Amino acid sequence: MAYQTLLTDVAERIATVTVNRPEKLNALNAQAKIELRECFASLKNDTAVDVVILTGAGEKAFVAGTDIGELRGLDSAAGREFAEGGQSVFDGIENLGKPVIAAVNGYALGGGCELALACHIRLASGNARFGQPEVNLGIIPGYGGTQRLARLIGRGRAMEMILTGVQIDAQEALTAGLVSRVFPLPELMSRARAMAALIVSVGQIGVRMALKAVNMTEEVPLSEGEKLEASLFGLCCGTRDFREGTTAFLEKRKPHFTNS
Ligand code: COA
């Protein structure tokens, strides 16, 4: 499907979605949010896609936030709706049911940082910068940032970023656990594709069950999470892929997974 604000490409079971408003540092306007919702809804059902990479166009920005021009006219009621709308788009990414890798290639500010937080794995280029600068605009993060950032990097560091609005660079983001790896910008996409290809090469039933289990970490207490883990583990054990994976290991050959 052709979009106005996104570029999409599918190759070797990996979809690449690029937010494409480089002249506005890929800031998310209403159209971009509508298109992200549609795009991820269609990727969810796309049997040709196992893994998604999300990035920004150009060499300067992943996404520099929500489009500030569209924020200005909001009153209290519209502001709440605005936040709920963005949250549901980002929840759709987190709950895609397939891994989403954020390849953060520059500024990830405000809604851009929150967009990366909604992905399952975050890789960054050396020039990436992360921040929740909403306090500078008299607001707070509204697309899940107060919740996901604190859960990912701890309340203290999240408070510091959200209360000061100060940006951190890629190395600081790595130390904080906000991203899992940093690469030179020219290597970022090939490294993201290599990681995606590794995920494509294993059994997708296991990948999706693991995603579901780890995604529940913050939703339920440990004892409930363990129950869920055991039941998903049991489901995996009923699959052909499980028999193939274990048999291939014992026969010292590569497994041939059929996702069944
Ligand atoms: N919303 C709307 N437009 C944005 C934007 C945003 N979040 N971020 C950048 N832009 C636009 C700029 O207005 C500018 O447009 P123009 O050329 O029509 O004037 C263009 O993108 C380039 O940005 P510019 O500010 O000139 O680049 P810079 O290199 O000087 O600064 C930033 C880069 C990221 C530091 C700066 O653009 C910025 O602070 N952006 C806002 C970040 C933010 O507060 N995000 C959270 C929003 S909730």
Side-chain angles (χ1 to χ4, degrees):
M1 187 191 285
Y3 297 104
Q4 288 173 34
T5 65
L6 305 178
L7 300 172
T8 57
D9 167 72
V10 177
E12 296 169 355
R13 310 201 61 75
I14 302 166
T16 303
V17 178
T18 306
V19 181
N20 186 32
R21 297 184 75 216
E23 71 291 350
K24 293 289 179 193
L25 303 187
N26 305 320
L28 298 181
N29 60 3
Q31 185 66 21
K33 282 176 280 180
I34 290 169
E35 292 186 357
L36 276 173
R37 188 193 295 282
E38 284 175 9
C39 178
F40 277 85
S42 100
L43 289 170
K44 193 177 183 90
N45 300 319
D46 190 336
T47 53
V49 171
D50 288 333
V51 181
V52 180
I53 298 172
L54 179 59
T55 192
E59 300 199 334
K60 199 167 165 187
F62 173 68
V63 166
T66 276
D67 192 311
I68 297 172
E70 294 185 358
L71 274 179
R72 219 170 48 168
L74 297 177
D75 62 13
S76 292
R80 184 187 181 128
E81 255 178 51
F82 187 88
E84 286 171 351
Q87 285 171 2
S88 88
V89 174
F90 288 13
D91 288 350
I93 294 174
E94 186 167 60
N95 298 318
L96 184 71
K98 304 174 185 183
V100 184
I101 299 173
V104 180
N105 56 314
Y107 289 112
L109 303 177
C113 188
E114 292 169 297
L115 181 60
L117 289 169
C119 298
H120 306 110
I121 297 175
R122 281 155 296 281
L123 310 179
S125 55
N127 65 321
R129 295 189 68 83
F130 296 81
Q132 296 289 167
E134 287 87 348
V135 285
N136 295 318
L137 303 171
I139 50 174
I140 66 170
Y143 291 173
T146 60
Q147 304 305 301
R148 289 197 179 96
L149 188 61
R151 283 164 162 82
L152 185 66
I153 68 172
R155 203 186 290 194
R157 281 180 198 263
M159 280 288 193
E160 190 181 313
M161 284 179 71
I162 292 169
L163 299 183
T164 65
V166 164
Q167 296 175 16
I168 62 171
D169 65 20
Q171 283 305 325
E172 285 178 272
L174 183 64
T175 307
L178 180 41
V179 301
S180 52
R181 285 172 200 274
V182 177
F183 301 110
L185 179 61
E187 285 179 31
L188 178 67
M189 288 310 290
S190 61
R191 297 290 198 136
R193 276 191 286 270
M195 185 176 281
L198 265 183
I199 299 172
V200 167
S201 74
V202 298
Q204 294 309 300
I205 293 176
V207 166
R208 290 175 195 187
M209 299 285 182
L211 204 54
K212 196 171 186 147
V214 179
N215 255 353
M216 290 302 282
T217 316
E218 304 293 345
E219 307 278 331
V220 297
L222 179 66
S223 56
E224 285 302 309
E226 285 192 329
K227 274 187 205 150
L228 175 78
E229 181 186 79
S231 91
L232 294 173
F233 185 93
L235 286 176
C236 289
C237 290
T239 64
R240 285 202 187 97
D241 278 0
F242 165 66
R243 286 194 295 282
E244 168 62 9
T246 46
T247 305
F249 177 83
L250 296 172
E251 292 176 354
K252 300 191 188 306
R253 61 173 173 81
K254 272 187 81 166
H256 174 66
F257 292 116
T258 52
N259 303 327
S260 57

